[in-house]
Every structure is written in C-alpha cells, then in structure tokens.
Amino acid sequence: MKRLKVKSMNNKKFINYVYDLGILFKKKAKEAKCNKHDASGAEDAAYKMGCLMAFHEIIDVMKQQARAFDIEQEDIGLADIDAESDLL
C-alpha cells in the first residue's frame, strides 16, 4: 500500500478526520438500522438492507484496520458499537 506524503499538515487534523468519520458512519449506520425496520415493500426493504450492510462493512473494516495499526477503538469513535451485534 502506498503511503501518503503530506507536507505541512498537522497529525491532529488526520486524527480528528478519522475520529469524525467514525462518529458519522456510526450515526448513519444506526439510522440505516432504524430505516430497515420502517421499510415498506420488498424492494424498499432490500434497498434499506443493502444500505445497512454497507455501513456494517465500513465499520467492520475501520475496526479491523484500527486493530492492525494498534489504534484504540475510542480514538476512531467506534468503541461503543459492534458491527455484528449492533447492526445485524
């Protein structure tokens, strides 16, 4: 994987960016779960389930990568969500 070469950018910006993404994805995932339950009709239900599964995958990958890089779940805003038990 190619590493980014960032000039004159503070690491704090990256930390805040990743943390905010975690929080935003978590919020959207929880909304997608609620929307799945409010689906009307088979086509709508399939679409909403697809959205939920996409957020499940995003959160799962973010958490896996955090573990691989020895980053605490709290630092990415995802310590209080489990993709398997909370989103499926």
XYZ file of all heavy atoms in Angstrom:
698
model
N 0.846 -1.173 0.000
C 0.000 0.000 0.000
C 0.893 1.237 0.000
O 1.840 1.330 0.759
C -0.922 -0.020 1.220
C -1.781 1.207 1.318
S -2.818 1.247 2.776
C -4.115 0.169 2.230
N 0.583 2.162 -0.833
C 1.343 3.399 -0.939
C 1.050 4.315 0.247
O -0.093 4.487 0.643
C 0.976 4.108 -2.236
C 1.790 5.332 -2.501
C 1.408 5.949 -3.827
C 2.204 7.214 -4.041
N 1.859 7.840 -5.293
N 2.075 4.857 0.828
C 1.923 5.790 1.942
C 1.790 7.207 1.397
O 2.443 7.583 0.422
C 3.144 5.741 2.866
C 3.321 4.421 3.533
C 2.371 4.304 4.664
N 2.518 2.998 5.274
C 1.591 2.411 5.960
N 0.443 2.990 6.135
N 1.786 1.243 6.486
N 0.963 7.992 2.038
C 0.772 9.381 1.640
C 1.937 10.228 2.103
O 2.451 10.050 3.198
C -0.517 9.939 2.251
C -1.805 9.292 1.809
C -2.964 9.890 2.592
C -2.022 9.492 0.332
N 2.336 11.142 1.278
C 3.348 12.117 1.660
C 2.637 13.444 1.862
O 2.186 14.071 0.922
C 4.412 12.245 0.577
C 5.232 10.990 0.402
C 6.274 11.176 -0.659
C 7.039 9.881 -0.843
N 8.038 9.995 -1.904
N 2.500 13.815 3.113
C 1.760 15.019 3.441
C 2.736 16.069 3.934
O 3.497 15.830 4.863
C 0.697 14.736 4.526
C -0.061 15.989 4.861
C -0.244 13.638 4.047
N 2.691 17.198 3.293
C 3.570 18.294 3.677
C 2.780 19.343 4.433
O 1.679 19.687 4.060
C 4.207 18.925 2.438
C 5.089 17.958 1.680
C 5.652 18.601 0.448
C 6.467 17.560 -0.306
N 6.966 18.076 -1.547
N 3.358 19.795 5.480
C 2.825 20.896 6.290
C 1.402 20.659 6.808
O 0.639 21.579 6.962
C 2.875 22.228 5.528
O 1.900 22.274 4.519
N 1.045 19.396 7.016
C -0.266 19.126 7.590
C -0.060 18.500 8.968
O 0.704 17.569 9.128
C -1.101 18.219 6.707
C -2.517 18.068 7.190
S -3.530 17.187 6.023
C -4.534 18.502 5.420
N -0.757 18.998 9.902
C -0.669 18.578 11.280
C -1.315 17.193 11.462
O -2.386 16.936 10.933
C -1.401 19.639 12.111
C -1.332 19.411 13.578
O -1.201 18.295 14.052
N -1.428 20.491 14.314
N -0.670 16.302 12.216
C -1.252 14.989 12.501
C -2.594 15.100 13.203
O -3.435 14.222 13.079
C -0.302 14.156 13.359
C 0.746 13.459 12.541
O 0.643 13.384 11.327
N 1.758 12.954 13.207
N -2.789 16.159 13.952
C -4.045 16.363 14.678
C -5.221 16.432 13.696
O -6.306 15.955 13.996
C -3.956 17.650 15.505
C -5.060 17.817 16.481
C -4.882 16.876 17.648
C -5.862 17.233 18.732
N -5.963 16.186 19.718
N -4.999 16.984 12.519
C -6.058 17.034 11.507
C -6.469 15.633 11.084
O -7.649 15.341 10.943
C -5.608 17.832 10.282
C -5.549 19.315 10.510
C -5.186 20.031 9.232
C -5.061 21.518 9.470
N -4.732 22.233 8.237
N -5.491 14.756 10.879
C -5.798 13.381 10.495
C -6.528 12.656 11.614
O -7.484 11.922 11.369
C -4.520 12.613 10.134
C -3.957 12.975 8.813
C -2.806 13.721 8.721
C -4.590 12.583 7.642
C -2.285 14.062 7.495
C -4.078 12.916 6.405
C -2.918 13.662 6.328
N -6.082 12.856 12.836
C -6.721 12.228 13.986
C -8.171 12.667 14.089
O -9.080 11.844 14.253
C -5.938 12.550 15.279
C -4.574 11.869 15.237
C -6.728 12.150 16.508
C -3.606 12.347 16.291
N -8.407 13.957 13.976
C -9.769 14.484 14.047
C -10.622 13.999 12.876
O -11.805 13.694 13.038
C -9.765 16.002 14.110
C -9.235 16.519 15.428
O -9.329 15.853 16.447
N -8.666 17.698 15.405
N -10.022 13.941 11.694
C -10.725 13.481 10.495
C -11.203 12.037 10.672
O -12.375 11.728 10.453
C -9.789 13.598 9.293
C -10.319 12.987 8.028
C -11.321 13.614 7.304
C -9.813 11.782 7.540
C -11.808 13.051 6.127
C -10.291 11.218 6.381
C -11.280 11.859 5.681
O -11.776 11.307 4.526
N -10.310 11.157 11.097
C -10.670 9.749 11.262
C -11.694 9.580 12.384
O -12.652 8.814 12.248
C -9.417 8.883 11.514
C -9.789 7.454 11.869
C -8.511 8.903 10.292
N -11.521 10.301 13.476
C -12.478 10.231 14.574
C -13.868 10.684 14.107
O -14.871 10.016 14.366
C -12.006 11.084 15.753
C -12.953 11.063 16.914
C -12.943 10.006 17.811
C -13.882 12.082 17.101
C -13.837 9.961 18.880
C -14.769 12.053 18.170
C -14.743 10.990 19.050
O -15.629 10.955 20.101
N -13.919 11.808 13.406
C -15.202 12.310 12.906
C -15.849 11.320 11.937
O -17.070 11.122 11.966
C -15.042 13.666 12.232
C -14.900 14.808 13.216
O -15.044 14.572 14.436
O -14.642 15.937 12.771
N -15.054 10.694 11.068
C -15.609 9.682 10.156
C -16.235 8.540 10.935
O -17.337 8.083 10.603
C -14.522 9.125 9.237
C -14.157 9.938 8.024
C -13.052 9.232 7.244
C -15.349 10.181 7.129
N -15.540 8.081 11.965
C -16.084 7.004 12.782
C -17.423 7.384 13.390
O -18.389 6.622 13.334
N -17.495 8.574 13.960
C -18.733 9.046 14.584
C -19.846 9.189 13.542
O -20.989 8.752 13.764
C -18.500 10.395 15.305
C -17.498 10.237 16.454
C -19.806 11.001 15.786
C -17.954 9.342 17.581
N -19.526 9.773 12.392
C -20.538 9.958 11.343
C -21.029 8.630 10.776
O -22.240 8.439 10.579
C -19.983 10.842 10.222
C -19.745 12.301 10.599
C -18.955 13.006 9.509
C -21.056 13.015 10.865
N -20.109 7.703 10.509
C -20.517 6.398 9.992
C -21.355 5.643 11.014
O -22.325 4.968 10.661
C -19.310 5.556 9.582
C -18.678 5.977 8.286
C -17.308 5.917 8.116
C -19.445 6.428 7.223
C -16.720 6.283 6.923
C -18.866 6.805 6.022
C -17.496 6.729 5.875
N -20.995 5.746 12.282
C -21.766 5.078 13.334
C -23.188 5.637 13.377
O -24.159 4.876 13.441
C -21.061 5.259 14.678
C -21.788 4.622 15.840
C -20.965 4.692 17.119
C -20.599 6.100 17.487
N -19.851 6.190 18.746
N -23.316 6.948 13.309
C -24.633 7.582 13.326
C -25.460 7.136 12.116
O -26.627 6.759 12.240
C -24.480 9.099 13.336
C -25.794 9.846 13.339
C -25.582 11.336 13.292
C -26.922 12.042 13.202
N -26.834 13.381 12.710
N -24.839 7.155 10.943
C -25.547 6.748 9.721
C -25.923 5.267 9.769
O -26.992 4.884 9.285
C -24.684 7.031 8.498
C -24.451 8.497 8.245
C -25.191 8.889 7.013
C -24.948 10.337 6.703
N -26.144 10.937 6.159
N -25.056 4.445 10.354
C -25.350 3.014 10.464
C -26.562 2.782 11.353
O -27.437 1.965 11.032
C -24.133 2.273 11.013
N -26.624 3.490 12.463
C -27.769 3.344 13.366
C -29.057 3.835 12.700
O -30.119 3.234 12.861
C -27.510 4.077 14.677
C -26.465 3.373 15.517
C -26.185 4.119 16.800
C -25.155 3.384 17.643
N -24.899 4.050 18.917
N -28.956 4.908 11.910
C -30.120 5.389 11.161
C -30.552 4.348 10.126
O -31.750 4.111 9.938
C -29.792 6.711 10.455
C -29.672 7.893 11.381
C -29.160 9.144 10.683
O -28.925 9.115 9.444
O -28.973 10.165 11.375
N -29.574 3.734 9.456
C -29.883 2.714 8.451
C -30.582 1.521 9.088
O -31.489 0.932 8.495
C -28.609 2.266 7.737
N -30.186 1.167 10.311
C -30.853 0.056 11.001
C -32.304 0.408 11.306
O -33.198 -0.412 11.098
C -30.107 -0.295 12.281
C -30.685 -1.515 12.961
C -29.865 -1.950 14.143
C -30.480 -3.192 14.763
N -29.702 -3.655 15.897
N -32.539 1.630 11.763
C -33.917 2.067 12.027
C -34.727 2.103 10.736
O -35.892 1.677 10.712
C -33.922 3.445 12.683
S -33.333 3.442 14.376
N -34.124 2.604 9.673
C -34.810 2.686 8.380
C -35.174 1.303 7.847
O -36.204 1.135 7.195
C -33.950 3.422 7.355
C -33.835 4.895 7.644
O -34.643 5.463 8.383
N -32.818 5.527 7.097
N -34.317 0.313 8.105
C -34.597 -1.042 7.650
C -35.894 -1.552 8.265
O -36.699 -2.193 7.594
C -33.443 -1.969 8.024
C -33.615 -3.393 7.508
C -32.615 -4.311 8.136
C -33.263 -4.858 9.354
N -32.864 -6.037 9.961
N -36.115 -1.231 9.515
C -37.333 -1.677 10.201
C -38.575 -0.948 9.703
O -39.680 -1.460 9.836
C -37.189 -1.501 11.714
C -36.140 -2.367 12.313
N -36.203 -3.744 12.302
C -34.975 -2.065 12.918
C -35.145 -4.249 12.882
N -34.373 -3.253 13.264
N -38.390 0.235 9.118
C -39.517 1.022 8.623
C -39.790 0.806 7.136
O -40.571 1.529 6.539
C -39.255 2.526 8.856
C -39.143 2.865 10.327
O -39.676 2.116 11.166
O -38.503 3.890 10.639
N -39.145 -0.191 6.551
C -39.273 -0.429 5.113
C -40.705 -0.796 4.745
O -41.398 -1.486 5.487
C -38.329 -1.540 4.674
N -41.123 -0.307 3.576
C -42.454 -0.638 3.068
C -42.299 -1.335 1.723
O -41.873 -0.741 0.752
C -43.304 0.622 2.917
O -42.691 1.516 2.030
N -42.588 -2.594 1.692
C -42.485 -3.354 0.448
C -41.137 -4.036 0.307
O -40.143 -3.640 0.901
N -41.110 -5.073 -0.517
C -39.919 -5.897 -0.682
C -38.755 -5.128 -1.305
O -37.608 -5.265 -0.881
C -40.246 -7.119 -1.522
N -39.055 -4.309 -2.316
C -37.988 -3.559 -2.987
C -37.351 -2.543 -2.037
O -36.132 -2.403 -1.980
C -38.546 -2.863 -4.228
C -37.483 -2.375 -5.179
C -38.088 -1.881 -6.476
O -38.763 -2.669 -7.166
O -37.867 -0.698 -6.790
N -38.173 -1.846 -1.289
C -37.693 -0.873 -0.311
C -36.890 -1.571 0.779
O -35.841 -1.095 1.191
C -38.879 -0.111 0.286
C -38.460 1.050 1.170
O -37.478 1.742 0.827
O -39.123 1.269 2.196
N -37.371 -2.712 1.235
C -36.681 -3.468 2.281
C -35.315 -3.928 1.798
O -34.326 -3.857 2.545
C -37.527 -4.651 2.721
N -35.227 -4.387 0.562
C -33.945 -4.850 0.014
C -32.948 -3.698 -0.086
O -31.769 -3.848 0.243
C -34.168 -5.494 -1.350
N -33.421 -2.545 -0.539
C -32.548 -1.367 -0.642
C -32.032 -0.957 0.729
O -30.835 -0.717 0.918
C -33.298 -0.213 -1.296
C -32.523 1.077 -1.279
C -31.507 1.306 -2.205
C -32.778 2.058 -0.322
C -30.769 2.468 -2.185
C -32.044 3.231 -0.294
C -31.042 3.438 -1.225
O -30.317 4.589 -1.186
N -32.934 -0.885 1.696
C -32.546 -0.446 3.042
C -31.631 -1.466 3.708
O -30.720 -1.098 4.446
C -33.782 -0.144 3.878
C -34.457 1.126 3.389
C -35.679 1.491 4.170
C -36.262 2.806 3.623
N -37.462 3.207 4.312
N -31.829 -2.741 3.439
C -30.935 -3.768 3.969
C -29.551 -3.627 3.339
O -28.536 -3.765 4.020
C -31.487 -5.167 3.703
C -30.550 -6.258 4.179
S -30.161 -6.132 5.930
C -31.066 -7.507 6.541
N -29.509 -3.302 2.062
C -28.230 -3.081 1.387
C -27.468 -1.908 1.984
O -26.248 -1.979 2.177
N -28.171 -0.842 2.293
C -27.530 0.322 2.940
C -26.978 -0.067 4.298
O -25.833 0.284 4.636
C -28.531 1.467 3.101
S -28.976 2.272 1.560
N -27.756 -0.794 5.073
C -27.295 -1.230 6.393
C -26.072 -2.121 6.269
O -25.097 -1.965 7.027
C -28.419 -1.963 7.125
C -28.059 -2.520 8.505
C -27.574 -1.410 9.434
C -29.259 -3.252 9.089
N -26.075 -3.028 5.327
C -24.932 -3.924 5.145
C -23.678 -3.160 4.721
O -22.577 -3.509 5.130
C -25.263 -5.017 4.125
C -26.343 -5.977 4.596
S -26.021 -6.728 6.210
C -24.541 -7.636 5.880
N -23.850 -2.106 3.945
C -22.703 -1.283 3.552
C -22.086 -0.612 4.774
O -20.854 -0.609 4.936
C -23.129 -0.238 2.524
N -22.910 -0.064 5.646
C -22.378 0.564 6.861
C -21.774 -0.481 7.796
O -20.770 -0.220 8.453
C -23.448 1.393 7.568
C -23.684 2.705 6.897
C -24.890 2.972 6.270
C -22.702 3.683 6.861
C -25.111 4.177 5.631
C -22.911 4.886 6.227
C -24.109 5.138 5.608
N -22.368 -1.660 7.846
C -21.794 -2.758 8.621
C -20.371 -3.023 8.150
O -19.437 -3.137 8.956
C -22.664 -4.010 8.480
C -22.048 -5.244 9.032
N -21.165 -6.009 8.325
C -22.182 -5.846 10.243
C -20.777 -7.024 9.060
N -21.385 -6.950 10.226
N -20.197 -3.124 6.854
C -18.880 -3.410 6.271
C -17.889 -2.287 6.563
O -16.732 -2.543 6.915
C -19.015 -3.638 4.766
C -17.748 -4.088 4.088
C -17.331 -5.510 4.454
O -18.151 -6.275 4.987
O -16.169 -5.849 4.187
N -18.311 -1.044 6.414
C -17.431 0.099 6.675
C -16.946 0.086 8.119
O -15.746 0.224 8.390
C -18.151 1.429 6.366
C -18.348 1.589 4.859
C -17.378 2.622 6.949
C -19.311 2.702 4.480
N -17.862 -0.090 9.042
C -17.495 -0.067 10.459
C -16.607 -1.262 10.793
O -15.609 -1.127 11.508
C -18.753 -0.003 11.337
C -19.355 1.404 11.206
C -18.436 -0.344 12.797
C -20.678 1.601 11.861
N -16.927 -2.418 10.250
C -16.114 -3.602 10.497
C -14.687 -3.406 9.978
O -13.721 -3.709 10.685
C -16.773 -4.820 9.846
C -16.111 -6.116 10.236
O -15.903 -6.339 11.450
O -15.803 -6.921 9.335
N -14.535 -2.881 8.780
C -13.200 -2.656 8.207
C -12.435 -1.595 9.009
O -11.242 -1.766 9.277
C -13.294 -2.267 6.714
C -11.967 -1.760 6.187
C -13.767 -3.456 5.893
N -13.110 -0.524 9.394
C -12.437 0.508 10.188
C -11.913 -0.074 11.499
O -10.786 0.208 11.912
C -13.372 1.680 10.478
C -13.579 2.605 9.296
S -14.574 4.063 9.718
C -13.404 5.003 10.711
N -12.706 -0.916 12.147
C -12.291 -1.518 13.412
C -11.151 -2.515 13.196
O -10.205 -2.564 13.986
C -13.485 -2.165 14.104
C -14.475 -1.118 14.636
C -15.702 -1.736 15.244
C -15.443 -2.288 16.591
N -15.905 -1.521 17.727
N -11.215 -3.300 12.139
C -10.135 -4.247 11.836
C -8.820 -3.513 11.569
O -7.762 -3.918 12.059
C -10.489 -5.090 10.615
C -11.539 -6.133 10.855
C -11.880 -6.864 9.567
O -11.054 -7.015 8.675
N -13.118 -7.324 9.467
N -8.889 -2.461 10.782
C -7.685 -1.692 10.464
C -7.119 -1.010 11.709
O -5.908 -0.925 11.872
C -7.966 -0.674 9.370
C -8.143 -1.278 7.999
C -6.902 -2.025 7.556
O -6.860 -3.248 7.580
N -5.885 -1.305 7.151
N -7.998 -0.535 12.572
C -7.529 0.077 13.821
C -6.749 -0.955 14.642
O -5.666 -0.649 15.166
C -8.705 0.635 14.616
N -7.277 -2.172 14.735
C -6.561 -3.226 15.468
C -5.215 -3.514 14.810
O -4.208 -3.675 15.493
C -7.402 -4.504 15.541
C -8.488 -4.452 16.593
C -9.142 -5.808 16.814
N -9.883 -6.301 15.668
C -11.145 -5.988 15.394
N -11.815 -5.185 16.180
N -11.738 -6.488 14.330
N -5.196 -3.585 13.489
C -3.956 -3.882 12.767
C -2.889 -2.804 12.995
O -1.697 -3.112 13.028
C -4.239 -4.028 11.273
N -3.316 -1.563 13.156
C -2.391 -0.455 13.374
C -2.237 -0.111 14.859
O -1.644 0.891 15.205
C -2.850 0.783 12.587
C -2.549 0.702 11.128
C -3.462 0.121 10.258
C -1.357 1.202 10.617
C -3.198 0.039 8.906
C -1.072 1.120 9.266
C -1.997 0.529 8.403
N -2.790 -0.964 15.722
C -2.714 -0.778 17.175
C -3.271 0.578 17.592
O -2.676 1.312 18.377
C -1.270 -0.956 17.663
C -1.198 -1.223 19.147
O -2.173 -1.777 19.696
O -0.178 -0.867 19.765
N -4.441 0.886 17.043
C -5.157 2.125 17.365
C -6.357 1.756 18.224
O -7.095 0.817 17.906
C -5.617 2.848 16.077
C -4.418 3.261 15.237
C -6.488 4.064 16.416
C -4.770 3.754 13.850
N -6.535 2.469 19.305
C -7.661 2.204 20.207
C -8.985 2.534 19.516
O -9.082 3.508 18.772
C -7.534 3.044 21.480
C -6.311 2.712 22.307
C -6.358 1.322 22.897
O -7.465 0.849 23.231
O -5.277 0.699 22.997
N -10.013 1.725 19.803
C -11.333 1.944 19.228
C -11.896 3.314 19.606
O -12.609 3.932 18.819
C -12.301 0.847 19.697
C -11.860 -0.560 19.343
C -11.877 -0.837 17.861
O -12.886 -0.629 17.208
N -10.773 -1.307 17.333
N -11.574 3.780 20.800
C -12.031 5.101 21.249
C -11.486 6.209 20.355
O -12.137 7.221 20.139
C -11.582 5.372 22.698
C -12.254 4.503 23.724
C -11.555 3.147 23.914
O -10.448 2.927 23.360
O -12.137 2.305 24.601
N -10.272 5.999 19.843
C -9.622 7.025 19.019
C -10.259 7.187 17.646
O -10.029 8.192 16.962
C -8.128 6.724 18.864
C -7.370 6.834 20.176
O -7.872 7.487 21.110
O -6.259 6.268 20.254
N -11.041 6.195 17.241
C -11.737 6.302 15.952
C -13.248 6.448 16.148
O -14.008 6.376 15.182
C -11.401 5.121 15.009
C -11.844 3.782 15.607
C -9.921 5.114 14.649
C -11.787 2.613 14.638
N -13.663 6.630 17.382
C -15.077 6.874 17.670
C -15.976 5.658 17.559
O -17.196 5.797 17.470
N -15.399 4.453 17.583
C -16.200 3.250 17.366
C -16.127 2.243 18.513
O -16.449 1.067 18.335
C -15.778 2.567 16.058
C -15.984 3.389 14.792
C -15.417 2.658 13.580
C -17.443 3.721 14.592
N -15.735 2.683 19.697
C -15.610 1.766 20.834
C -16.964 1.245 21.295
O -17.051 0.127 21.818
C -14.892 2.458 21.989
N -18.011 2.000 21.069
C -19.328 1.637 21.608
C -20.264 1.020 20.574
O -21.485 1.022 20.745
C -19.979 2.854 22.246
C -20.169 4.001 21.269
O -19.518 3.994 20.207
O -20.947 4.919 21.573
N -19.689 0.460 19.509
C -20.527 -0.218 18.514
C -19.815 -1.490 18.064
O -18.602 -1.512 17.891
C -20.843 0.700 17.310
C -21.891 0.054 16.411
C -19.596 1.081 16.540
C -22.495 0.995 15.377
N -20.593 -2.542 17.908
C -20.098 -3.806 17.375
C -20.888 -4.082 16.103
O -22.120 -4.180 16.146
C -20.295 -4.923 18.401
C -19.811 -6.256 17.869
O -18.589 -6.493 17.916
O -20.654 -7.029 17.393
N -20.178 -4.194 15.001
C -20.847 -4.334 13.710
C -21.774 -5.562 13.685
O -22.871 -5.501 13.152
C -19.810 -4.428 12.585
N -21.334 -6.663 14.274
C -22.138 -7.886 14.239
C -23.390 -7.774 15.106
O -24.497 -7.988 14.632
C -21.306 -9.092 14.684
C -20.110 -9.376 13.802
C -20.501 -9.665 12.365
O -21.456 -10.437 12.138
O -19.847 -9.122 11.462
N -23.208 -7.440 16.361
C -24.367 -7.474 17.270
C -25.251 -6.226 17.169
O -26.447 -6.319 17.403
C -23.899 -7.661 18.714
O -23.094 -6.601 19.130
N -24.680 -5.093 16.822
C -25.472 -3.862 16.786
C -26.120 -3.567 15.437
O -27.104 -2.834 15.375
C -24.606 -2.664 17.187
C -24.149 -2.730 18.637
O -24.876 -3.327 19.459
O -23.074 -2.202 18.940
N -25.587 -4.129 14.377
C -26.099 -3.768 13.055
C -26.767 -4.912 12.301
O -27.341 -4.676 11.239
C -24.971 -3.161 12.202
C -24.324 -1.916 12.771
C -23.189 -1.436 11.876
C -25.344 -0.812 12.976
N -26.665 -6.109 12.805
C -27.310 -7.233 12.103
C -28.514 -7.722 12.861
O -28.757 -7.446 13.964
C -26.327 -8.373 11.887
C -25.166 -8.059 10.961
C -24.270 -9.274 10.816
C -25.645 -7.626 9.589
